[in-house]
Amino acid sequence: MLYHDAFLARLEGGLRSALPTWNIDETAGLSLLTISENATFMVDDAQGGGRKILRVHRPAYHSDEEISSELQWIEALREAGIIATPAPIHARDGRLLATFFDGETHRNVVAFEFMNGKAPDEAGDLARWYGHLGEISARLHAHSRAWSPPAGFTRKTWTFDTIIGPNAYWGDWRAALGLDDVGRSVLERVAARLQQETASFGTSPDRFGLIHADMRAANLLVDGDRLGVIDFDDCGFSWFAYDFAASISFMETEPFIPELMAAWLDGYARLAPLDPEQAAALPMLVMLRRMQLTAWIASHSETPTAQSMGAAYTAGTIDLADRYLAADFLKGVA
């Protein structure tokens, strides 16, 4: 269990030692917000302008260059007015990336402005917000197509191979919690189909480029009429339509998903309609994402998210795969 209490206390101590990097006193109030791939803390910097968000990166996942590239894209998106997202905070030496040592482990830390808001309520008008999200996605994708990244820009590429193939970044779906031989057979068949379908769909520049890749509800902040987007940690090169698949992470089997998909497409069309081939690919990409998350839960079993999902999520993936193979998943919505 990576994130046990003693580990978190040690992590907080290391992070406190890094606070002066941003001219924050080491005694400032510090509280853990979330644990997933990384650990995210809020610091109450009473002397330096209030709350700030600090993200401690998990080692051996993103390189220094990848993290710096994420922050460069965020700054470019903010400068162009594309999206409401917190600004990265430069350290007193001007850098965006800081480090501290946890024993022999080198840990990267980045800081962001605090943004007010809360995740959209599933019990409320979720479709309304997914309409806004579709419009935001269209603006972001248009920027991605036109933007010339700076020299040295590098982010991961998300394709079948790195999502659920032999070189998957988030682990092997075959290690899914509670997966038996019958379920494995179903998922093997759907994986083979997805490999063929993604290869046929291709990666031409009109449908493949730099995306957020994790605009799920937990990474959306509603404040009045504003929809903010946070957490670009997974941004990389993939299918533009994959941003919708990622946006319904962990709720793919809910009955309201077709409504969210229709709202997202309508919102996207306010800027430019998603072309028919990309719209028709949404169910395929949702199934691909679901299998990726099934692998993630198995390989990140120490996280609260994985522990809350468990084997029940695997069972839902198998049910979704059966429906996908029977062409009975999000049929007719796109």
PDB file of all heavy atoms in Angstrom, residues 227-259:
ATOM      1  N   LEU A 227     -17.324  26.854 -16.514  1.00  0.00           N
ATOM      2  CA  LEU A 227     -16.846  25.484 -16.413  1.00  0.00           C
ATOM      3  C   LEU A 227     -15.335  25.503 -16.573  1.00  0.00           C
ATOM      4  O   LEU A 227     -14.809  25.757 -17.652  1.00  0.00           O
ATOM      5  CB  LEU A 227     -17.479  24.592 -17.481  1.00  0.00           C
ATOM      6  CG  LEU A 227     -17.091  23.102 -17.405  1.00  0.00           C
ATOM      7  CD1 LEU A 227     -17.585  22.480 -16.102  1.00  0.00           C
ATOM      8  CD2 LEU A 227     -17.648  22.331 -18.597  1.00  0.00           C
ATOM      9  N   GLY A 228     -14.628  25.242 -15.481  1.00  0.00           N
ATOM     10  CA  GLY A 228     -13.176  25.182 -15.517  1.00  0.00           C
ATOM     11  C   GLY A 228     -12.699  23.755 -15.698  1.00  0.00           C
ATOM     12  O   GLY A 228     -13.404  22.799 -15.358  1.00  0.00           O
ATOM     13  N   VAL A 229     -11.521  23.602 -16.246  1.00  0.00           N
ATOM     14  CA  VAL A 229     -10.916  22.286 -16.464  1.00  0.00           C
ATOM     15  C   VAL A 229      -9.549  22.277 -15.791  1.00  0.00           C
ATOM     16  O   VAL A 229      -8.757  23.206 -15.973  1.00  0.00           O
ATOM     17  CB  VAL A 229     -10.762  21.979 -17.971  1.00  0.00           C
ATOM     18  CG1 VAL A 229     -10.074  20.635 -18.178  1.00  0.00           C
ATOM     19  CG2 VAL A 229     -12.123  21.996 -18.662  1.00  0.00           C
ATOM     20  N   ILE A 230      -9.275  21.236 -15.014  1.00  0.00           N
ATOM     21  CA  ILE A 230      -7.995  21.110 -14.335  1.00  0.00           C
ATOM     22  C   ILE A 230      -7.305  19.805 -14.739  1.00  0.00           C
ATOM     23  O   ILE A 230      -7.862  19.005 -15.476  1.00  0.00           O
ATOM     24  CB  ILE A 230      -8.165  21.177 -12.803  1.00  0.00           C
ATOM     25  CG1 ILE A 230      -9.051  20.016 -12.298  1.00  0.00           C
ATOM     26  CG2 ILE A 230      -8.736  22.516 -12.379  1.00  0.00           C
ATOM     27  CD1 ILE A 230      -9.122  19.914 -10.781  1.00  0.00           C
ATOM     28  N   ASP A 231      -6.105  19.612 -14.236  1.00  0.00           N
ATOM     29  CA  ASP A 231      -5.365  18.352 -14.310  1.00  0.00           C
ATOM     30  C   ASP A 231      -5.045  17.916 -15.742  1.00  0.00           C
ATOM     31  O   ASP A 231      -5.683  17.020 -16.303  1.00  0.00           O
ATOM     32  CB  ASP A 231      -6.110  17.239 -13.577  1.00  0.00           C
ATOM     33  CG  ASP A 231      -5.219  16.031 -13.316  1.00  0.00           C
ATOM     34  OD1 ASP A 231      -4.034  16.068 -13.736  1.00  0.00           O
ATOM     35  OD2 ASP A 231      -5.685  15.053 -12.716  1.00  0.00           O
ATOM     36  N   PHE A 232      -4.008  18.517 -16.304  1.00  0.00           N
ATOM     37  CA  PHE A 232      -3.511  18.151 -17.637  1.00  0.00           C
ATOM     38  C   PHE A 232      -2.429  17.074 -17.555  1.00  0.00           C
ATOM     39  O   PHE A 232      -1.686  16.867 -18.508  1.00  0.00           O
ATOM     40  CB  PHE A 232      -2.951  19.395 -18.330  1.00  0.00           C
ATOM     41  CG  PHE A 232      -3.985  20.296 -18.956  1.00  0.00           C
ATOM     42  CD1 PHE A 232      -4.860  21.029 -18.175  1.00  0.00           C
ATOM     43  CD2 PHE A 232      -4.098  20.409 -20.332  1.00  0.00           C
ATOM     44  CE1 PHE A 232      -5.814  21.868 -18.740  1.00  0.00           C
ATOM     45  CE2 PHE A 232      -5.046  21.244 -20.920  1.00  0.00           C
ATOM     46  CZ  PHE A 232      -5.907  21.972 -20.117  1.00  0.00           C
ATOM     47  N   ASP A 233      -2.346  16.375 -16.433  1.00  0.00           N
ATOM     48  CA  ASP A 233      -1.262  15.424 -16.214  1.00  0.00           C
ATOM     49  C   ASP A 233      -1.220  14.304 -17.252  1.00  0.00           C
ATOM     50  O   ASP A 233      -0.162  13.745 -17.523  1.00  0.00           O
ATOM     51  CB  ASP A 233      -1.392  14.820 -14.808  1.00  0.00           C
ATOM     52  CG  ASP A 233      -0.251  13.884 -14.466  1.00  0.00           C
ATOM     53  OD1 ASP A 233       0.916  14.312 -14.572  1.00  0.00           O
ATOM     54  OD2 ASP A 233      -0.516  12.729 -14.093  1.00  0.00           O
ATOM     55  N   ASP A 234      -2.372  13.949 -17.830  1.00  0.00           N
ATOM     56  CA  ASP A 234      -2.413  12.894 -18.844  1.00  0.00           C
ATOM     57  C   ASP A 234      -2.427  13.430 -20.266  1.00  0.00           C
ATOM     58  O   ASP A 234      -2.558  12.652 -21.219  1.00  0.00           O
ATOM     59  CB  ASP A 234      -3.637  11.992 -18.642  1.00  0.00           C
ATOM     60  CG  ASP A 234      -3.515  11.122 -17.406  1.00  0.00           C
ATOM     61  OD1 ASP A 234      -2.401  10.652 -17.124  1.00  0.00           O
ATOM     62  OD2 ASP A 234      -4.535  10.922 -16.714  1.00  0.00           O
ATOM     63  N   CYS A 235      -2.316  14.744 -20.444  1.00  0.00           N
ATOM     64  CA  CYS A 235      -2.398  15.284 -21.803  1.00  0.00           C
ATOM     65  C   CYS A 235      -1.307  14.661 -22.672  1.00  0.00           C
ATOM     66  O   CYS A 235      -0.209  14.342 -22.210  1.00  0.00           O
ATOM     67  CB  CYS A 235      -2.300  16.806 -21.799  1.00  0.00           C
ATOM     68  SG  CYS A 235      -0.665  17.499 -21.467  1.00  0.00           S
ATOM     69  N   GLY A 236      -1.658  14.435 -23.906  1.00  0.00           N
ATOM     70  CA  GLY A 236      -0.732  13.802 -24.829  1.00  0.00           C
ATOM     71  C   GLY A 236      -1.339  13.716 -26.205  1.00  0.00           C
ATOM     72  O   GLY A 236      -2.393  14.295 -26.480  1.00  0.00           O
ATOM     73  N   PHE A 237      -0.699  12.974 -27.073  1.00  0.00           N
ATOM     74  CA  PHE A 237      -1.139  12.866 -28.466  1.00  0.00           C
ATOM     75  C   PHE A 237      -2.026  11.642 -28.628  1.00  0.00           C
ATOM     76  O   PHE A 237      -1.625  10.511 -28.354  1.00  0.00           O
ATOM     77  CB  PHE A 237       0.085  12.784 -29.379  1.00  0.00           C
ATOM     78  CG  PHE A 237       0.946  14.013 -29.314  1.00  0.00           C
ATOM     79  CD1 PHE A 237       2.030  14.076 -28.433  1.00  0.00           C
ATOM     80  CD2 PHE A 237       0.662  15.116 -30.100  1.00  0.00           C
ATOM     81  CE1 PHE A 237       2.815  15.216 -28.355  1.00  0.00           C
ATOM     82  CE2 PHE A 237       1.443  16.271 -30.027  1.00  0.00           C
ATOM     83  CZ  PHE A 237       2.518  16.313 -29.149  1.00  0.00           C
ATOM     84  N   SER A 238      -3.249  11.886 -29.077  1.00  0.00           N
ATOM     85  CA  SER A 238      -4.219  10.801 -29.257  1.00  0.00           C
ATOM     86  C   SER A 238      -5.330  11.285 -30.176  1.00  0.00           C
ATOM     87  O   SER A 238      -5.257  12.374 -30.758  1.00  0.00           O
ATOM     88  CB  SER A 238      -4.781  10.356 -27.895  1.00  0.00           C
ATOM     89  OG  SER A 238      -5.509   9.139 -28.024  1.00  0.00           O
ATOM     90  N   TRP A 239      -6.361  10.475 -30.287  1.00  0.00           N
ATOM     91  CA  TRP A 239      -7.513  10.857 -31.096  1.00  0.00           C
ATOM     92  C   TRP A 239      -8.271  11.985 -30.405  1.00  0.00           C
ATOM     93  O   TRP A 239      -8.519  11.940 -29.197  1.00  0.00           O
ATOM     94  CB  TRP A 239      -8.429   9.655 -31.289  1.00  0.00           C
ATOM     95  CG  TRP A 239      -7.779   8.532 -32.030  1.00  0.00           C
ATOM     96  CD1 TRP A 239      -7.563   8.426 -33.382  1.00  0.00           C
ATOM     97  CD2 TRP A 239      -7.245   7.322 -31.452  1.00  0.00           C
ATOM     98  NE1 TRP A 239      -6.929   7.247 -33.686  1.00  0.00           N
ATOM     99  CE2 TRP A 239      -6.715   6.546 -32.519  1.00  0.00           C
ATOM    100  CE3 TRP A 239      -7.161   6.821 -30.152  1.00  0.00           C
ATOM    101  CZ2 TRP A 239      -6.135   5.303 -32.321  1.00  0.00           C
ATOM    102  CZ3 TRP A 239      -6.568   5.593 -29.940  1.00  0.00           C
ATOM    103  CH2 TRP A 239      -6.060   4.840 -31.013  1.00  0.00           C
ATOM    104  N   PHE A 240      -8.657  13.005 -31.168  1.00  0.00           N
ATOM    105  CA  PHE A 240      -9.422  14.107 -30.582  1.00  0.00           C
ATOM    106  C   PHE A 240     -10.699  13.585 -29.923  1.00  0.00           C
ATOM    107  O   PHE A 240     -11.070  14.038 -28.835  1.00  0.00           O
ATOM    108  CB  PHE A 240      -9.751  15.145 -31.662  1.00  0.00           C
ATOM    109  CG  PHE A 240      -8.545  15.859 -32.193  1.00  0.00           C
ATOM    110  CD1 PHE A 240      -8.193  15.768 -33.529  1.00  0.00           C
ATOM    111  CD2 PHE A 240      -7.730  16.604 -31.351  1.00  0.00           C
ATOM    112  CE1 PHE A 240      -7.073  16.418 -34.023  1.00  0.00           C
ATOM    113  CE2 PHE A 240      -6.603  17.265 -31.830  1.00  0.00           C
ATOM    114  CZ  PHE A 240      -6.274  17.172 -33.173  1.00  0.00           C
ATOM    115  N   ALA A 241     -11.357  12.620 -30.551  1.00  0.00           N
ATOM    116  CA  ALA A 241     -12.606  12.083 -29.997  1.00  0.00           C
ATOM    117  C   ALA A 241     -12.380  11.326 -28.691  1.00  0.00           C
ATOM    118  O   ALA A 241     -13.332  11.066 -27.964  1.00  0.00           O
ATOM    119  CB  ALA A 241     -13.284  11.179 -31.031  1.00  0.00           C
ATOM    120  N   TYR A 242     -11.129  10.997 -28.400  1.00  0.00           N
ATOM    121  CA  TYR A 242     -10.836  10.304 -27.138  1.00  0.00           C
ATOM    122  C   TYR A 242     -11.118  11.197 -25.935  1.00  0.00           C
ATOM    123  O   TYR A 242     -11.330  10.709 -24.825  1.00  0.00           O
ATOM    124  CB  TYR A 242      -9.379   9.832 -27.125  1.00  0.00           C
ATOM    125  CG  TYR A 242      -9.096   8.768 -26.097  1.00  0.00           C
ATOM    126  CD1 TYR A 242      -9.641   7.495 -26.210  1.00  0.00           C
ATOM    127  CD2 TYR A 242      -8.273   9.024 -24.992  1.00  0.00           C
ATOM    128  CE1 TYR A 242      -9.383   6.506 -25.271  1.00  0.00           C
ATOM    129  CE2 TYR A 242      -8.006   8.039 -24.059  1.00  0.00           C
ATOM    130  CZ  TYR A 242      -8.562   6.789 -24.207  1.00  0.00           C
ATOM    131  OH  TYR A 242      -8.305   5.813 -23.264  1.00  0.00           O
ATOM    132  N   ASP A 243     -11.147  12.511 -26.152  1.00  0.00           N
ATOM    133  CA  ASP A 243     -11.470  13.405 -25.047  1.00  0.00           C
ATOM    134  C   ASP A 243     -12.895  13.167 -24.536  1.00  0.00           C
ATOM    135  O   ASP A 243     -13.157  13.355 -23.342  1.00  0.00           O
ATOM    136  CB  ASP A 243     -11.280  14.873 -25.455  1.00  0.00           C
ATOM    137  CG  ASP A 243      -9.925  15.425 -25.032  1.00  0.00           C
ATOM    138  OD1 ASP A 243      -9.311  14.863 -24.096  1.00  0.00           O
ATOM    139  OD2 ASP A 243      -9.468  16.421 -25.627  1.00  0.00           O
ATOM    140  N   PHE A 244     -13.810  12.783 -25.420  1.00  0.00           N
ATOM    141  CA  PHE A 244     -15.141  12.426 -24.899  1.00  0.00           C
ATOM    142  C   PHE A 244     -15.079  11.132 -24.117  1.00  0.00           C
ATOM    143  O   PHE A 244     -15.651  11.023 -23.025  1.00  0.00           O
ATOM    144  CB  PHE A 244     -16.197  12.284 -26.000  1.00  0.00           C
ATOM    145  CG  PHE A 244     -17.481  11.725 -25.441  1.00  0.00           C
ATOM    146  CD1 PHE A 244     -18.333  12.518 -24.694  1.00  0.00           C
ATOM    147  CD2 PHE A 244     -17.807  10.374 -25.607  1.00  0.00           C
ATOM    148  CE1 PHE A 244     -19.475  11.992 -24.114  1.00  0.00           C
ATOM    149  CE2 PHE A 244     -18.962   9.838 -25.045  1.00  0.00           C
ATOM    150  CZ  PHE A 244     -19.797  10.655 -24.296  1.00  0.00           C
ATOM    151  N   ALA A 245     -14.397  10.126 -24.646  1.00  0.00           N
ATOM    152  CA  ALA A 245     -14.293   8.843 -23.950  1.00  0.00           C
ATOM    153  C   ALA A 245     -13.750   9.027 -22.543  1.00  0.00           C
ATOM    154  O   ALA A 245     -14.260   8.449 -21.578  1.00  0.00           O
ATOM    155  CB  ALA A 245     -13.420   7.883 -24.755  1.00  0.00           C
ATOM    156  N   ALA A 246     -12.710   9.854 -22.413  1.00  0.00           N
ATOM    157  CA  ALA A 246     -12.129  10.101 -21.093  1.00  0.00           C
ATOM    158  C   ALA A 246     -13.075  10.880 -20.192  1.00  0.00           C
ATOM    159  O   ALA A 246     -13.053  10.722 -18.978  1.00  0.00           O
ATOM    160  CB  ALA A 246     -10.805  10.841 -21.240  1.00  0.00           C
ATOM    161  N   SER A 247     -13.929  11.693 -20.785  1.00  0.00           N
ATOM    162  CA  SER A 247     -14.811  12.554 -19.979  1.00  0.00           C
ATOM    163  C   SER A 247     -15.866  11.771 -19.204  1.00  0.00           C
ATOM    164  O   SER A 247     -16.416  12.276 -18.227  1.00  0.00           O
ATOM    165  CB  SER A 247     -15.501  13.598 -20.879  1.00  0.00           C
ATOM    166  OG  SER A 247     -16.590  13.034 -21.602  1.00  0.00           O
ATOM    167  N   ILE A 248     -16.153  10.532 -19.614  1.00  0.00           N
ATOM    168  CA  ILE A 248     -17.160   9.740 -18.892  1.00  0.00           C
ATOM    169  C   ILE A 248     -16.503   8.606 -18.097  1.00  0.00           C
ATOM    170  O   ILE A 248     -17.146   7.610 -17.765  1.00  0.00           O
ATOM    171  CB  ILE A 248     -18.257   9.198 -19.833  1.00  0.00           C
ATOM    172  CG1 ILE A 248     -17.661   8.319 -20.939  1.00  0.00           C
ATOM    173  CG2 ILE A 248     -19.061  10.347 -20.435  1.00  0.00           C
ATOM    174  CD1 ILE A 248     -18.721   7.536 -21.707  1.00  0.00           C
ATOM    175  N   SER A 249     -15.232   8.788 -17.781  1.00  0.00           N
ATOM    176  CA  SER A 249     -14.493   7.785 -17.013  1.00  0.00           C
ATOM    177  C   SER A 249     -15.213   7.424 -15.721  1.00  0.00           C
ATOM    178  O   SER A 249     -15.699   8.296 -14.996  1.00  0.00           O
ATOM    179  CB  SER A 249     -13.101   8.324 -16.663  1.00  0.00           C
ATOM    180  OG  SER A 249     -12.326   8.506 -17.817  1.00  0.00           O
ATOM    181  N   PHE A 250     -15.256   6.129 -15.462  1.00  0.00           N
ATOM    182  CA  PHE A 250     -15.817   5.533 -14.251  1.00  0.00           C
ATOM    183  C   PHE A 250     -17.337   5.601 -14.177  1.00  0.00           C
ATOM    184  O   PHE A 250     -17.915   5.205 -13.170  1.00  0.00           O
ATOM    185  CB  PHE A 250     -15.195   6.153 -12.984  1.00  0.00           C
ATOM    186  CG  PHE A 250     -13.705   5.996 -12.910  1.00  0.00           C
ATOM    187  CD1 PHE A 250     -12.876   7.105 -12.950  1.00  0.00           C
ATOM    188  CD2 PHE A 250     -13.128   4.745 -12.822  1.00  0.00           C
ATOM    189  CE1 PHE A 250     -11.492   6.968 -12.896  1.00  0.00           C
ATOM    190  CE2 PHE A 250     -11.743   4.589 -12.765  1.00  0.00           C
ATOM    191  CZ  PHE A 250     -10.926   5.696 -12.797  1.00  0.00           C
ATOM    192  N   MET A 251     -17.991   6.087 -15.228  1.00  0.00           N
ATOM    193  CA  MET A 251     -19.460   6.069 -15.226  1.00  0.00           C
ATOM    194  C   MET A 251     -20.007   5.599 -16.574  1.00  0.00           C
ATOM    195  O   MET A 251     -21.133   5.893 -16.949  1.00  0.00           O
ATOM    196  CB  MET A 251     -20.023   7.445 -14.849  1.00  0.00           C
ATOM    197  CG  MET A 251     -19.581   8.611 -15.699  1.00  0.00           C
ATOM    198  SD  MET A 251     -20.309  10.175 -15.085  1.00  0.00           S
ATOM    199  CE  MET A 251     -19.705  11.337 -16.312  1.00  0.00           C
ATOM    200  N   GLU A 252     -19.217   4.812 -17.285  1.00  0.00           N
ATOM    201  CA  GLU A 252     -19.558   4.417 -18.658  1.00  0.00           C
ATOM    202  C   GLU A 252     -20.842   3.596 -18.761  1.00  0.00           C
ATOM    203  O   GLU A 252     -21.477   3.575 -19.819  1.00  0.00           O
ATOM    204  CB  GLU A 252     -18.405   3.602 -19.267  1.00  0.00           C
ATOM    205  CG  GLU A 252     -17.075   4.321 -19.310  1.00  0.00           C
ATOM    206  CD  GLU A 252     -16.227   4.084 -18.060  1.00  0.00           C
ATOM    207  OE1 GLU A 252     -16.785   3.567 -17.051  1.00  0.00           O
ATOM    208  OE2 GLU A 252     -15.043   4.399 -18.091  1.00  0.00           O
ATOM    209  N   THR A 253     -21.216   2.905 -17.695  1.00  0.00           N
ATOM    210  CA  THR A 253     -22.412   2.046 -17.758  1.00  0.00           C
ATOM    211  C   THR A 253     -23.673   2.749 -17.277  1.00  0.00           C
ATOM    212  O   THR A 253     -24.746   2.144 -17.266  1.00  0.00           O
ATOM    213  CB  THR A 253     -22.198   0.770 -16.914  1.00  0.00           C
ATOM    214  OG1 THR A 253     -21.936   1.137 -15.556  1.00  0.00           O
ATOM    215  CG2 THR A 253     -21.025  -0.046 -17.453  1.00  0.00           C
ATOM    216  N   GLU A 254     -23.560   4.012 -16.897  1.00  0.00           N
ATOM    217  CA  GLU A 254     -24.736   4.738 -16.406  1.00  0.00           C
ATOM    218  C   GLU A 254     -25.742   4.958 -17.547  1.00  0.00           C
ATOM    219  O   GLU A 254     -25.348   5.184 -18.699  1.00  0.00           O
ATOM    220  CB  GLU A 254     -24.321   6.092 -15.824  1.00  0.00           C
ATOM    221  CG  GLU A 254     -23.473   6.007 -14.567  1.00  0.00           C
ATOM    222  CD  GLU A 254     -24.275   5.547 -13.358  1.00  0.00           C
ATOM    223  OE1 GLU A 254     -25.510   5.474 -13.437  1.00  0.00           O
ATOM    224  OE2 GLU A 254     -23.633   5.247 -12.323  1.00  0.00           O
ATOM    225  N   PRO A 255     -27.027   4.911 -17.235  1.00  0.00           N
ATOM    226  CA  PRO A 255     -28.038   5.049 -18.299  1.00  0.00           C
ATOM    227  C   PRO A 255     -28.072   6.416 -18.963  1.00  0.00           C
ATOM    228  O   PRO A 255     -28.609   6.552 -20.073  1.00  0.00           O
ATOM    229  CB  PRO A 255     -29.352   4.756 -17.560  1.00  0.00           C
ATOM    230  CG  PRO A 255     -29.064   5.023 -16.119  1.00  0.00           C
ATOM    231  CD  PRO A 255     -27.627   4.652 -15.915  1.00  0.00           C
ATOM    232  N   PHE A 256     -27.493   7.439 -18.313  1.00  0.00           N
ATOM    233  CA  PHE A 256     -27.547   8.786 -18.894  1.00  0.00           C
ATOM    234  C   PHE A 256     -26.385   9.077 -19.849  1.00  0.00           C
ATOM    235  O   PHE A 256     -26.290  10.181 -20.389  1.00  0.00           O
ATOM    236  CB  PHE A 256     -27.586   9.845 -17.789  1.00  0.00           C
ATOM    237  CG  PHE A 256     -26.480   9.735 -16.764  1.00  0.00           C
ATOM    238  CD1 PHE A 256     -25.171  10.089 -17.060  1.00  0.00           C
ATOM    239  CD2 PHE A 256     -26.763   9.263 -15.483  1.00  0.00           C
ATOM    240  CE1 PHE A 256     -24.160   9.990 -16.114  1.00  0.00           C
ATOM    241  CE2 PHE A 256     -25.759   9.161 -14.521  1.00  0.00           C
ATOM    242  CZ  PHE A 256     -24.460   9.531 -14.836  1.00  0.00           C
ATOM    243  N   ILE A 257     -25.496   8.111 -20.080  1.00  0.00           N
ATOM    244  CA  ILE A 257     -24.338   8.365 -20.953  1.00  0.00           C
ATOM    245  C   ILE A 257     -24.757   8.764 -22.369  1.00  0.00           C
ATOM    246  O   ILE A 257     -24.165   9.693 -22.947  1.00  0.00           O
ATOM    247  CB  ILE A 257     -23.394   7.152 -20.966  1.00  0.00           C
ATOM    248  CG1 ILE A 257     -22.780   6.948 -19.572  1.00  0.00           C
ATOM    249  CG2 ILE A 257     -22.298   7.329 -22.006  1.00  0.00           C
ATOM    250  CD1 ILE A 257     -22.044   8.160 -19.017  1.00  0.00           C
ATOM    251  N   PRO A 258     -25.755   8.119 -22.994  1.00  0.00           N
ATOM    252  CA  PRO A 258     -26.152   8.594 -24.330  1.00  0.00           C
ATOM    253  C   PRO A 258     -26.569  10.060 -24.350  1.00  0.00           C
ATOM    254  O   PRO A 258     -26.275  10.784 -25.311  1.00  0.00           O
ATOM    255  CB  PRO A 258     -27.330   7.675 -24.679  1.00  0.00           C
ATOM    256  CG  PRO A 258     -27.058   6.408 -23.917  1.00  0.00           C
ATOM    257  CD  PRO A 258     -26.477   6.874 -22.621  1.00  0.00           C
ATOM    258  N   GLU A 259     -27.205  10.520 -23.269  1.00  0.00           N
ATOM    259  CA  GLU A 259     -27.600  11.923 -23.192  1.00  0.00           C
ATOM    260  C   GLU A 259     -26.363  12.827 -23.115  1.00  0.00           C
ATOM    261  O   GLU A 259     -26.311  13.882 -23.759  1.00  0.00           O
ATOM    262  CB  GLU A 259     -28.491  12.144 -21.965  1.00  0.00           C
ATOM    263  CG  GLU A 259     -29.011  13.570 -21.825  1.00  0.00           C
ATOM    264  CD  GLU A 259     -29.842  13.781 -20.569  1.00  0.00           C
ATOM    265  OE1 GLU A 259     -29.935  12.847 -19.748  1.00  0.00           O
ATOM    266  OE2 GLU A 259     -30.387  14.887 -20.413  1.00  0.00           O
TER     267      GLU A 259
END
